[in-house]
Amino acid sequence: MNAFSLAPLILILPFLGFLFNALVGRRFVEADRRVGEQWTGWLASSMALVAFLVSASLGVSLAAGGFEAQTVKLWDWVVIPAAEFHVPWAIQVDTLSVTMMLVVTGVGSLIHIYAIGYMHGDRDFSRFFAYLNLFIFFMLILVAGNNYLMLFVGWEGVGLCSYLLIGFWFDRVDEKKQPMNANAARKAMVVNRIGDFAMVLALILMFWTFRSLEFETIFGSAVEMFERGEMVHFGSFSAPLATVVTAITALFLMGATGKSAQLPLHVWLPDAMAGPTPVSALIHAATMVTSGIYLIVRSNVLYEIARESGARVLGAISSPDLVAYVGALTALYAGLIAFTQFDIKKVLAYSTVSQLGFMIAAAGMGAYVAAMFHLITHAFFKALLFLGSGSVIHGMEHGHHHVHTPSHPCPSQGEGQGRGFDPQDMRTMGGLWNKMPLTFVLYLTGALALAGIAPLAGFWSKDEILAHANENNGGVYVLLTLAAICTAFYMGRQLKMIFFGQPRHEAAEHASDSPAVMWVPLAVLAALAFFGGYYLNLPYFSQAAAEAAHGHPEGDFLRLESWLEHSLAAFELTEEGVVNLPHTPIVFSPTVAGISTVLAVGALAAAFFVVYARRPGTAHDPDPLEKTPIWWFAILPVNTLYMKGLVPAFNRTAAWLADTVDERWWHDFFHDRLLRDGFLGWTRFINDVVDTQGVDGALVNGSGRLARALADLLRRSQTGYVRNYALGVFLGVVALLAYFIFAG
Amino acid sequence: MPVVTTSWYVALSVALFTIGALGVLLRRNAVVIFMSVELMLNAANLAFVAFARHFNNLDGQIFVFFVITVAAAEVAVGLALIVAIFRTKNSINVDEINTMKG
Amino acid sequence: MGNPILFIILATIALASALGMLLNRNAVHSALFLILNMVTLAVLYLVLNAPFIAMVQITVYAGAIMVLFLFVIMLLGAERTSGPIRPGWQMYLTLLLTAVLLATFGAVLLGADGEGTAVAPTLDASPTAIGLTLFESYVFPFEVTSILLLAAMVGVVVLRMRRKG
């Protein structure tokens, strides 16, 4: 069965959903709130669902057809024969893009369904779904395009949708009358733009070097040029291909830092939590922010060439290594910051930044399959966590209103803010495990998956990255392990603060669980988070088994690797000997897994001990371990080292980290002052000086004044005296005569 | 004995023309200005006749004929105008006719 | 071309009368000087073998046009002087331009090869000949000129009409 002709549907359907919701959706919703919401919401969700089905059928067709990549061309977009510039609007169906499509549409449709319940009662219900569908549309363009220009269109498009969705409640102001949502949206846009600038430069370089922007063409000619050792000519100056490829890949890294919130452009992601929770789940956990990783994985050939050639960025570090270190450092940095956040979504936001760092580090180290694996599992459990946090927030608001105004109808998220009660503040939660049991179980699944506890999905994917790092890049391994510890710790802290102990606020005492339309998608995601890792990319459990399969993925093992191998040209190039792809160990390594599990469990336990249960405290609390019975130490001797030595140190470090967080606010301050104020000053300059004075004053008004001045001047020649006029005539005649006789 | 060539006549014509031009530009009496114009026309006529003789062609004289005719017509109309202006302004000093001053 | 002495005398009279017309403050005197100038020019035309033109000049120009001028001057009482020429920036500019003009003409004249026809002209410039040329080659301008004169006459009458209803 050939489903490739259906491929354009994945683009058409979400766009239709967007049009419907944008143009007529509002009328439906306002006519009859209950029915209208169902209509618009389910229509949008069904568009995403059908797109998911189409993607699935594409995957099946691929598998049936031998995993050959197919290009479904829609039409020719840019054709400039003189410059040999030809860019089609075409969908590339290969295993990598189908993987991304499945993630985007699958998780996306679950989130659409969730949002039907979450956004219930919101004034702009249809607009929300219009934007969501538009986002799916652009994201699919990004992952399905067969050339970098389409990818860039999708790139920009998702940036736009991110802006629209973060600032969805754009008229909301905080206590200081600042439009915080609008500011956050604008910040996201501006920071993304910086990355986009790097992307454009990379596109230009690529076109100059390879004369095309299509993936197949570029990768093919890159390999050829690399093998032949060709030089790239820029006018009078030429550079070896490796240098240019290094430059391109470094620029891609910059673009990815903008889009995937890596250091130093991560500042927009925490602020983006001002948007509705489904937005955070979809865009800032599962899909948009992963586009940076997709970009790097798609360009694996270029990165491997850069790695192979040994060319260095600024003479210091090779481009893929730079990617790896940026990712690892971001993972650690964000993980540390998450320790001290009190807003439930901010913790998850920093966690996202940290996990994205994992993925980017994996891609930088050449473990593309591991990066994609973690991308998929992260989409599952992070979306689960975000949606779960949405349920918690919803429940808290219900509780708050139940306490204060029992007759008041259900508010939508965030209406509780600005009235002195923040439903997102974890310090007011607690003891919700029996108030919202369903949410608790689902959230727990997600948290454990994130922390990397076997056999949940997060364990397998994170472990693969760590194993790869262990074998190939020790520095990154250390950084990532530390980040993993942080991950487990802050998730444990979050679990403790939200679900365990005693309720710390009356709202928490009266919290209630979510409706079915909200917890069913969560359940699906939880199932995926539970079983996904095992199903997707299980490594061989013994060296013997691996050798029996000749080191190739087979059967139940390494399914994802065998699936993705067909699209990651780097694998082929390794076999041909062109590049040396750092090898991901395919055998389960008990050492690495053991270390990471122990550390994760230990961190979780430490969190449970350290974090308060009843009354809000500070990080300067006396070490609670002093009250712990001694037999704990006997049972877990390894943990003793951590608990006796590391935990007090961690307490002190956490206190110091509060200052680091101040530091982060300084960073923000830096960004706010430098970027935002600079930008605003620049626009003000352009408006007041250039536009008002320059264009208006000098050009427009000035030309008027000039005309008037000239007229005044010329008016003096109209003296009214005939003799003056006669003189003028005489002057002209004499001049002409003299000219013709002497010069003519 | 120098021979009187055409250039001499042309030189005379130039001189008369210049004097006429000066008259137009420097005198303030409207009628005198007009007379200076007539002088200029006469100077041109002289040049025409001289060249007619030089090129042995009657066309120059024909042209003079027409110039005189047109000059007559022009003088008639011009003087009528001056009289009309005098009726209103009671002066033929061209410097006082400056209501078109912009 | 005749005697140089004759030419010089006539030229002197012509120039003198022109200057007299220019500089005289009395308008009537200016007109009389102009009449003298025109008569002199008529004599020059005779020397230049243009008898018909000479006669026409005296009859029409000196006899009709200048008389008309004198009529108007008398009518308007314009013999009253209007003051000397006031030196102003216009005067200096005029003199400058005049100098340029003279220089231009001088350059042309000096540069021209001055051989004039010293041979007796073979041109028949009698009224018969002029009449024939006029009606053969130049009949169209001739007729148009008649319309021009008609227009001038109509114009004069109109200008002199007082608005009576």
Side-chain angles (χ1 to χ4, degrees):
Chain A
M1 180 200 62
N2 189 329
F4 296 118
S5 48
L6 290 178
L9 275 180
I10 61 167
L11 294 183
I12 294 173
L13 288 175
F15 192 67
L16 286 179
F18 159 69
L19 283 179
F20 173 80
N21 268 323
L23 298 174
V24 301
R26 185 172 276 272
R27 254 176 274 152
F28 267 86
V29 171
E30 278 171 6
D32 181 334
R33 198 84 226 198
R34 204 180 52 81
V35 170
E37 279 186 6
Q38 298 292 314
W39 264 100
T40 48
W42 279 103
L43 186 112
S45 311
S46 54
M47 292 297 169
L49 271 171
V50 176
F52 175 72
L53 291 172
V54 172
S55 317
S57 68
L58 285 174
V60 169
S61 304
L62 263 186
F67 304 103
E68 287 275 326
Q70 297 274 340
T71 311
V72 180
K73 182 161 144 175
L74 298 175
W75 63 80
D76 276 325
W77 182 21
V78 181
V79 180
I80 304 178
E84 295 164 34
F85 189 38
H86 171 254
V87 176
W89 204 223
I91 297 180
Q92 170 138 340
V93 182
D94 62 6
T95 52
L96 178 62
S97 61
V98 166
T99 313
M100 287 298 295
M101 280 190 234
L102 286 171
V103 170
V104 169
T105 51
V107 177
S109 41
L110 286 172
I111 292 179
H112 273 78
I113 298 171
Y114 177 88
I116 299 176
Y118 193 81
M119 299 297 286
H120 167 67
D122 191 288
R123 174 188 70 175
D124 292 310
F125 190 85
S126 50
R127 182 161 70 97
F128 185 76
F129 280 96
Y131 287 158
L132 272 188
N133 267 16
L134 187 67
F135 171 82
I136 300 275
F137 171 66
F138 276 123
M139 190 69 200
L140 286 171
I141 292 180
L142 198 159
V143 301
N146 89 328
N147 56 73
Y148 277 105
L149 200 57
M150 260 182 87
L151 190 149
F152 191 61
V153 167
W155 189 272
E156 298 276 330
V158 296
L160 168 73
C161 291
S162 169
Y163 169 81
L164 290 171
L165 283 164
I166 295 174
F168 186 68
W169 293 307
F170 51 81
D171 40 8
R172 193 161 294 169
V173 292
D174 63 10
E175 314 87 56
K176 293 189 218 115
K177 295 278 187 249
Q178 295 289 319
M180 50 194 189
N181 292 351
N183 280 347
R186 189 178 59 186
K187 183 179 205 163
M189 194 67 173
V190 171
V191 175
N192 270 348
R193 230 49 198 112
I194 301 176
D196 294 347
F197 166 66
M199 281 291 287
V200 171
L201 287 181
L203 284 180
I204 294 174
L205 263 182
M206 267 198 298
F207 176 68
W208 184 266
T209 317
F210 302 113
R211 289 274 156 239
S212 162
L213 287 177
E214 298 186 41
F215 294 141
E216 316 252 340
T217 322
I218 290 182
F219 298 149
S221 35
V223 173
E224 265 180 42
M225 289 170 78
F226 179 62
E227 286 183 312
R228 285 201 299 254
E230 266 184 38
M231 303 280 283
V232 184
H233 303 281
F234 299 95
S236 55
F237 135 90
S238 60
L241 179 75
T243 316
V244 176
V245 166
T246 306
I248 293 176
T249 49
L251 287 167
F252 275 161
L253 173 65
M254 256 192 83
T257 53
K259 195 62 94 184
S260 298
Q262 300 298 297
L263 242 52
L265 296 174
H266 65 286
V267 290
W268 64 271
L269 192 58
D271 282 24
M273 296 300 117
T277 309
V279 170
S280 309
L282 180 62
I283 297 186
H284 307 126
T287 43
M288 180 179 108
V289 291
T290 55
S291 43
I293 289 113
Y294 171 72
L295 173 69
I296 297 182
V297 173
R298 177 61 83 185
S299 318
N300 57 80
V301 172
L302 297 176
Y303 278 96
E304 290 314 310
I305 290 180
R307 191 200 309 276
E308 182 71 21
S309 70
R312 295 179 175 271
V313 176
L314 301 176
I317 184 175
S318 80
S319 180
D321 281 339
L322 182 64
V323 174
Y325 275 104
V326 165
L329 284 169
T330 310
L332 185 57
Y333 181 72
L336 287 173
I337 294 184
F339 274 49
T340 56
Q341 297 299 311
F342 288 117
D343 186 322
I344 190 177
K345 282 172 69 175
K346 285 255 168 58
V347 175
L348 294 175
Y350 283 110
S351 168
T352 305
V353 175
S354 178
Q355 296 303 305
L356 290 170
F358 267 88
M359 295 179 227
I360 299 248
M365 289 190 293
Y368 299 108
V369 175
M372 290 302 294
F373 187 24
H374 199 58
L375 192 154
I376 299 171
T377 57
H378 176 262
F380 296 153
F381 54 69
K382 196 44 76 60
L384 170 62
L385 283 172
F386 264 111
L387 298 184
S389 73
S391 294
V392 169
I393 295 171
H394 233 228
M396 289 293 286
E397 286 193 336
H398 273 256
H400 181 68
H401 274 259
H402 179 83
V403 167
H404 284 259
T405 51
S407 57
H408 193 99
C410 299
S412 49
Q413 182 220 348
E415 272 188 25
Q417 289 169 349
R419 288 189 211 157
F421 166 69
D422 186 0
Q424 297 182 221
D425 193 333
M426 295 196 290
R427 289 174 289 196
T428 59
M429 300 178 192
L432 290 180
W433 65 274
N434 55 357
K435 306 282 191 308
M436 309 175 67
L438 203 49
T439 312
F440 166 61
V441 169
L442 298 170
Y443 200 92
L444 184 65
T445 320
L448 289 179
L450 175 54
I453 307 291
L456 278 74
F459 167 72
W460 299 109
S461 55
K462 197 183 296 189
D463 212 67
E464 190 170 332
I465 299 179
L466 287 174
H468 183 103
N470 184 34
E471 232 185 71
N472 293 305
N473 195 330
V476 172
Y477 175 66
V478 171
L479 288 171
L480 288 180
T481 313
L482 290 174
I485 299 177
C486 294
T487 311
F489 188 86
Y490 64 66
M491 283 321 290
R493 172 178 175 267
Q494 194 176 43
L495 281 174
K496 183 82 186 290
M497 280 177 84
I498 298 176
F499 292 109
F500 292 102
Q502 307 295 322
R504 286 186 285 278
H505 191 275
E506 52 203 357
E509 289 175 18
H510 297 274
S512 56
D513 222 332
S514 336
V517 75
M518 280 168 69
W519 66 256
V520 169
L522 285 185
V524 175
L525 284 171
L528 285 170
F530 203 90
F531 295 109
Y534 173 82
Y535 178 72
L536 278 179
N537 209 29
L538 207 58
Y540 290 112
F541 281 104
S542 66
Q543 190 66 23
E547 275 166 21
H550 303 285
H552 282 292
E554 242 186 35
D556 280 346
F557 297 98
L558 295 171
R559 281 204 190 97
L560 188 66
E561 177 155 342
S562 64
W563 170 255
L564 280 179
E565 233 178 19
H566 304 276
S567 322
L568 294 175
F571 283 104
E572 264 180 59
L573 295 178
T574 319
E575 283 172 29
E576 291 168 19
V578 179
V579 296
N580 288 311
L581 182 66
H583 175 65
T584 312
I586 54 172
V587 182
F588 177 72
S589 158
T591 336
V592 172
I595 293 179
S596 65
T597 309
V598 160
L599 291 177
V601 170
L604 273 173
F608 268 73
F609 276 117
V610 170
V611 174
Y612 47 79
R614 175 74 205 178
R615 56 174 170 73
T618 65
H620 295 279
D621 266 356
D623 188 17
L625 288 175
E626 295 174 33
K627 301 189 212 111
T628 318
I630 202 93
W631 61 277
W632 274 110
F633 292 95
I635 293 182
L636 300 162
V638 176
N639 276 350
T640 312
L641 224 73
Y642 291 107
M643 285 188 198
K644 256 215 136 170
L646 216 58
V647 167
F650 256 37
N651 272 343
R652 278 189 282 274
T653 316
W656 176 75
L657 277 175
D659 296 331
T660 310
V661 172
D662 275 1
E663 196 94 272
R664 188 202 83 94
W665 285 112
W666 261 98
H667 199 53
D668 238 306
F669 173 69
F670 166 78
H671 276 254
D672 270 351
R673 285 285 286 258
L674 209 65
L675 284 184
R676 186 198 66 186
D677 288 346
F679 176 71
L680 283 178
W682 163 250
T683 54
R684 231 171 271 136
F685 170 74
I686 292 192
N687 182 46
D688 295 339
V689 177
V690 175
D691 197 38
T692 308
Q693 291 179 15
V695 175
D696 273 354
L699 287 180
V700 174
N701 292 348
S703 43
R705 263 182 265 124
L706 186 68
R708 204 184 300 165
L710 264 178
D712 271 340
L713 198 64
L714 289 173
R715 196 162 51 115
R716 303 226 189 113
S717 68
Q718 300 286 314
T719 52
Y721 293 122
V722 177
R723 288 196 296 147
N724 285 352
Y725 299 154
L727 185 59
V729 173
F730 189 51
L731 173 67
V733 168
V734 171
L736 273 174
L737 208 57
Y739 171 73
F740 281 123
I741 293 199
F742 288 125
Chain B
M1 260 285 146
V3 180
V4 180
T5 62
T6 316
S7 310
W8 294 37
Y9 285 97
V10 176
L12 176 60
S13 162
V14 166
L16 289 175
F17 183 88
T18 314
I19 294 175
L22 281 172
V24 169
L25 296 167
L26 296 178
R27 293 297 301 254
R28 283 194 309 276
N29 191 326
V31 183
V32 173
I33 291 177
F34 220 154
M35 288 198 286
S36 311
V37 174
E38 294 308 312
L39 183 59
M40 286 158 78
L41 284 170
N42 269 305
N45 283 347
L46 180 61
F48 269 120
V49 175
F51 278 120
R53 191 187 189 287
H54 181 85
F55 290 112
N56 229 6
N57 195 338
L58 259 190
D59 291 348
Q61 300 191 4
I62 304 290
F63 206 85
V64 172
F65 181 83
F66 282 118
V67 170
I68 293 179
T69 314
V70 172
E74 164 218 342
V75 164
V77 177
L79 287 175
L81 272 171
I82 291 180
V83 172
I85 292 178
F86 177 78
R87 251 195 270 143
T88 45
K89 296 221 62 135
N90 224 22
S91 146
I92 48 171
N93 182 350
V94 294
D95 282 346
E96 292 179 24
I97 308 173
N98 62 350
T99 47
M100 286 286 279
K101 183 179 168 78
Chain C
M1 302 287 258
N3 214 326
I5 300 181
L6 178 64
F7 175 78
I8 288 177
I9 295 173
L10 287 170
T12 315
I13 299 176
L15 284 170
S17 57
L19 282 169
M21 183 214 83
L22 176 68
L23 299 169
N24 206 311
R25 288 197 246 147
N26 189 330
V28 177
H29 292 175
S30 293
L32 291 174
F33 271 121
L34 190 58
I35 293 177
L36 175 61
N37 188 53
M38 287 179 181
V39 172
T40 317
L41 281 182
V43 177
L44 277 171
Y45 291 160
L46 280 173
V47 172
L48 283 171
N49 197 31
F52 180 68
I53 298 299
M55 290 307 125
V56 167
Q57 166 99 340
I58 294 185
T59 322
V60 174
Y61 237 130
I65 294 178
M66 291 317 297
V67 171
L68 190 57
F69 264 111
L70 280 168
F71 274 158
V72 171
I73 293 173
M74 298 302 189
L75 181 67
L76 302 181
E79 71 265 18
R80 279 181 254 126
T81 80
S82 41
I85 299 171
R86 265 199 304 253
W89 63 273
Q90 287 116 331
M91 186 175 91
Y92 293 122
L93 184 58
T94 310
L95 291 175
L96 173 70
L97 289 173
T98 313
V100 172
L101 190 67
L102 283 173
T104 314
F105 284 142
V108 172
L109 283 174
L110 290 175
D113 36 4
E115 94 287 316
T117 48
V119 184
T122 54
L123 203 54
D124 179 15
S126 64
T128 318
I130 289 198
L132 277 171
T133 317
L134 203 55
F135 284 104
E136 279 170 9
S137 323
Y138 294 97
V139 65
F140 182 67
F142 185 79
E143 301 303 330
V144 171
T145 313
S146 70
I147 297 181
L148 176 75
L149 289 171
L150 177 66
M153 274 196 288
V154 170
V156 171
V157 171
V158 166
L159 278 168
R160 288 297 293 147
M161 250 173 28
R162 298 170 202 256
R163 317 262 165 140
K164 274 200 261 200

